C-alpha cells in the first residue's frame, strides 16, 4: 500500500474524525481563557486560507464567490462617488482593484455610511491621529472573518458610536493611555497590545460604562493597586468580561475613589517608597517590587499622622524600613502583607518594638507584640 493509499484509508477511518474532534475540543478548552491567542490564530488562518485573494485582482479574474453582488445603477453611483473622493484625497487607503475595494467597503459599512465615514475619519471631527495619519491601506472585512476583525470594522464601530458621543475617539485613547500608564507604573508587565485590539477593547468598555473614560481607568487602576491577582494578570486593556470582574471587586470594596486613595507625590513619599522597594526586594530576592498606590498612601499617612498621633519623620521611617528588612528580623510576616508598605498601625507597632525590646528577648517578644498578643507590656499609643 502506498503512502497516499494509507492516508486515504486513514481519512476514511471513523476513529480519525473522533480523535480530531477530541483534540480540537482540548485545544479550545485550553485557549478559552486566552482570547488574544484565538484572535491571532484566526488572523493567520484567514490570511493563509485567503491566499491569492489577498493580492490585487481585477474584476475579470476575481473568483465568482468574491465578485460583488449585482451592482444597481444607484450603488454604482455610490461606488463612483466614493472612489472619486478617495482617489483624489487618500488613494493610499485603497488595496487591490479600486472598484472591488469600494464595493466591499460599501457592503461592510452601508451605501449611506462608507463615504461620510471616511470623510469623518480623515478630518479633525474625528480628532484621532490613529485614523488621520494612517499610511497603510484600509482593508474591508474578508469573507470568513469575524465582523469585528480589522481596522475597517473598528472604524465602522467608532463612526457609528460618534452618534452616541461625539468625542468617542478621544475617549478611546484616554482609556488606552490611562490603562497603559497604570500597567507601566506598577511595572509587573509591559503593555504590548496592538493598537487595533486596544481600540476595540476600549470601545467595548466605554459602551457598557456610559462613555465614562475616567471611571473606566479609575476602576482598572484600583484593581491593579489593591488586588495582586489583577496586578499579575492584567497586561493590556481588559476585555469586557475581565473588566466586569474588576468592577465587581471595586463595588464590593464600597466603590472607593482613587482620588481619595492616591497619595500626594511628595519627595519624602518617593524617598521612602523607593527605599522600601529596594530593601524589601533584597530581603526576599525579588527582581522587582512595584511601588503601589497603597504603599504611597500609607507612607503619606505616616508622614502626616493620619491616625491622630504625632506625624512620623522621614528618618524614623528610614530606620523602620532598615529594621524591618533586616534578614535576622523574624516578625516581618506580622507587619507586612504582600509587597505593600505596612499600615500606619503596624509601623507604630514596629517602632515601639524597636525602642523597648532588649536585644536578648527581641525576637520572641516582638513576635508577640506584632501579633497583638502582648498589649499591656508595650503601649503603642505613647509612640
Amino acid at each position: 500500500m502506498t503512502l497516499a493509499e494509507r492516508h486515504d484509508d486513514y481519512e476514511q477511518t471513523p476513529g480519525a474524525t473522533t480523535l480530531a474532534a477530541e483534540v480540537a475540543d482540548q485545544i479550545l478548552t485550553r485557549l478559552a481563557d486566552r482570547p488574544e491567542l484565538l484572535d491571532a490564530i484566526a488572523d493567520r488562518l484567514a490570511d493563509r486560507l485567503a491566499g491569492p485573494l489577498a493580492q490585487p485582482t481585477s474584476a475579470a479574474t476575481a473568483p465568482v464567490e468574491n465578485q460583488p453582488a449585482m451592482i444597481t445603477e444607484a450603488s454604482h453611483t455610490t461606488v463612483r462617488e466614493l472612489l472619486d473622493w478617495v482617489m483624489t484625497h487618500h488613494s493610499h487607503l485603497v488595496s487591490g482593484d479600486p472598484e472591488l475595494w469600494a464595493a466591499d467597503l460599501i457592503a461592510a459599512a452601508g451605501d449611506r455610511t462608507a463615504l461620510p465615514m471616511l470623510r469623518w475619519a480623515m478630518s479633525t471631527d474625528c480628532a484621532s491621529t490613529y485614523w488621520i495619519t494612517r499610511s497603510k491601506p484600509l482593508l474591508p472585512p474578508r469573507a470568513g472573518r469575524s465582523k469585528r476583525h480589522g481596522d475597517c470594522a473598528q472604524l465602522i464601530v467608532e463612526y457609528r458610536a460618534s452618534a452616541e458621543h461625539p468625542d468617542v475617539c478621544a475617549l478611546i485613547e484616554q482609556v488606552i493611555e490611562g490603562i497603559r500608564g497604570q500597567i507601566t507604573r506598577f511595572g509587573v508587565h509591559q503593555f504590548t497590545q496592538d493598537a487595533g485590539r486596544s481600540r476595540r477593547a476600549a470601545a467595548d468598555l466605554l459602551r457598557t460604562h456610559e462613555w465614562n473614560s475616567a471611571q473606566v481607568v479609575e476602576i482598572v487602576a484600583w484593581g491593579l493597586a489593591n488586588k495582586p491577582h489583577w496586578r499579575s494578570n492584567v497586561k493590556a486593556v481588559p476585555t469586557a468580561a475581565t473588566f466586569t470582574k474588576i468592577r465587581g471587586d471595586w463595588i464590593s470594596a464600597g466603590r472607593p475613589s482613587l482620588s481619595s486613595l492616591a497619595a500626594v507625590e511628595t519627595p519624602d513619599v518617593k524617598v521612602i517608597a523607593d527605599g522600601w522597594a529596594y530593601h524589601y526586594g533584597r530581603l526576599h530576592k525579588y527582581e522587582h517590587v512595584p511601588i503601589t498606590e497603597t504603599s504611597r498612601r500609607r507612607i503619606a499617612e505616616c508622614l502626616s499622622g493620619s491616625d491622630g498621633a504625632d506625624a512620623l519623620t522621614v528618618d524614623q521611617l528610614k530606620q523602620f524600613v532598615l529594621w524591618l528588612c533586616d534578614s535576622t528580623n523574624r516578625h516581618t510576616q506580622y507587619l507586612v502583607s504582600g509587597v505593600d508598605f505596612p499600615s500606619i498601625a503596624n509601623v507604630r507597632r514596629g517602632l515601639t518594638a524597636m525602642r523597648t525590646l532588649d536585644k536578648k528577648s527581641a525576637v520572641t517578644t516582638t513576635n508577640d507584640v506584632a501579633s497583638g498578643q502582648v498589649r499591656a507590656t508595650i503601649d503603642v499609643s505613647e509612640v
Side-chain angles (χ1 to χ4, degrees):
M1 181 181 291
T2 67
L3 183 61
E5 289 172 336
R6 291 179 183 177
H7 177 74
D8 291 341
D9 182 62
Y10 173 80
E11 289 295 329
Q12 294 170 8
T13 304
T17 303
T18 303
L19 178 60
E22 290 177 355
V23 172
D25 287 342
Q26 291 178 15
I27 292 173
L28 285 176
T29 300
R30 294 291 182 87
L31 294 178
D33 295 328
R34 301 292 301 276
E36 70 277 7
L37 289 182
L38 287 175
D39 281 348
I41 292 171
D43 290 351
R44 281 153 182 75
L45 282 174
D47 289 339
R48 179 163 296 186
L49 292 174
L53 299 182
Q55 303 300 322
T57 56
S58 66
T61 60
V64 174
E65 63 268 23
N66 289 284
Q67 292 279 13
M70 183 180 296
I71 300 178
T72 63
E73 184 176 349
S75 60
H76 181 74
T77 302
T78 306
V79 168
R80 291 313 314 165
E81 289 177 349
L82 175 61
L83 278 180
D84 287 345
W85 184 84
V86 172
M87 297 305 289
T88 300
H89 301 285
H90 303 283
S91 59
H92 62 278
L93 296 177
V94 178
S95 174
D97 182 270
E99 290 200 6
L100 285 177
W101 176 86
D104 287 343
L105 184 63
I106 289 171
D111 281 2
R112 299 182 180 181
T113 301
L115 181 54
M117 176 182 72
L118 289 183
R119 283 176 169 163
W120 173 81
M122 300 299 154
S123 71
T124 54
D125 291 339
C126 172
S128 173
T129 56
Y130 184 76
W131 301 116
I132 296 173
T133 62
R134 185 183 183 86
S135 60
K136 58 184 180 180
L138 184 67
L139 302 177
R142 293 202 298 269
R145 285 199 174 189
S146 167
K147 293 180 180 179
R148 287 168 52 85
H149 174 80
D151 276 355
C152 182
Q154 182 59 29
L155 177 56
I156 294 170
V157 167
E158 293 184 26
Y159 177 68
R160 290 175 178 168
S162 67
E164 299 177 43
H165 200 296
D167 298 325
V168 59
C169 290
L171 297 178
I172 286 173
E173 285 158 16
Q174 287 170 18
V175 168
I176 295 171
E177 292 309 312
I179 293 176
R180 183 200 303 273
Q182 291 298 324
I183 291 173
T184 301
R185 181 176 193 174
F186 288 103
V188 178
H189 300 292
Q190 287 187 341
F191 188 101
T192 57
Q193 190 177 36
D194 68 77
R197 287 189 173 86
S198 293
R199 296 185 78 86
R200 184 158 61 247
D204 287 345
L205 299 186
L206 286 165
R207 186 182 297 280
T208 59
H209 211 68
E210 299 179 348
W211 304 101
N212 190 336
S213 61
Q215 194 167 80
V216 168
V217 174
E218 178 177 325
I219 290 170
V220 174
W222 179 88
L224 294 173
N226 295 276
K227 298 291 182 179
H229 171 74
W230 298 126
R231 196 153 56 234
S232 299
N233 290 281
V234 174
K235 58 187 73 174
V237 178
T239 63
T242 298
F243 179 78
T244 298
K245 295 175 183 177
I246 299 174
R247 184 171 180 269
D249 290 342
W250 177 73
I251 292 172
S252 297
R255 297 176 181 261
S257 171
L258 273 186
S259 60
S260 64
L261 291 177
V264 177
E265 287 286 355
T266 65
D268 289 344
V269 169
K270 187 178 186 309
V271 166
I272 301 302
D274 289 345
W276 167 252
Y278 174 75
H279 291 289
Y280 194 69
R282 286 191 62 187
L283 174 65
H284 292 285
K285 296 181 173 58
Y286 292 152
E287 187 173 337
H288 177 75
V289 174
I291 300 175
T292 66
E293 287 288 350
T294 300
S295 292
R296 290 187 175 89
R297 171 172 56 80
R298 288 177 174 177
I299 294 169
E301 288 173 351
C302 291
L303 292 171
S304 64
S306 65
D307 58 354
D310 292 339
L312 299 174
T313 67
V314 171
D315 285 341
Q316 285 177 308
L317 291 182
K318 285 181 178 179
Q319 293 171 15
F320 170 75
V321 169
L322 292 173
W323 172 78
L324 190 62
C325 296
D326 190 311
S327 59
T328 62
N329 195 334
R330 298 175 53 190
H331 64 274
T332 305
Q333 59 182 314
Y334 296 111
L335 301 177
V336 182
S337 177
V339 297
D340 294 325
F341 190 84
S343 65
I344 188 170
N346 281 351
V347 171
R348 292 198 187 279
R349 181 176 287 176
L351 288 171
T352 300
M354 287 171 59
R355 292 173 180 174
T356 59
L357 297 177
D358 60 75
K359 295 181 180 179
K360 293 182 180 180
S361 60
V363 174
T364 302
T365 309
T366 301
N367 283 342
D368 291 338
V369 173
S371 62
Q373 296 177 24
V374 180
R375 296 182 181 178
T377 304
I378 302 174
D379 182 4
V380 298
S381 65
E382 67 187 20
V383 178

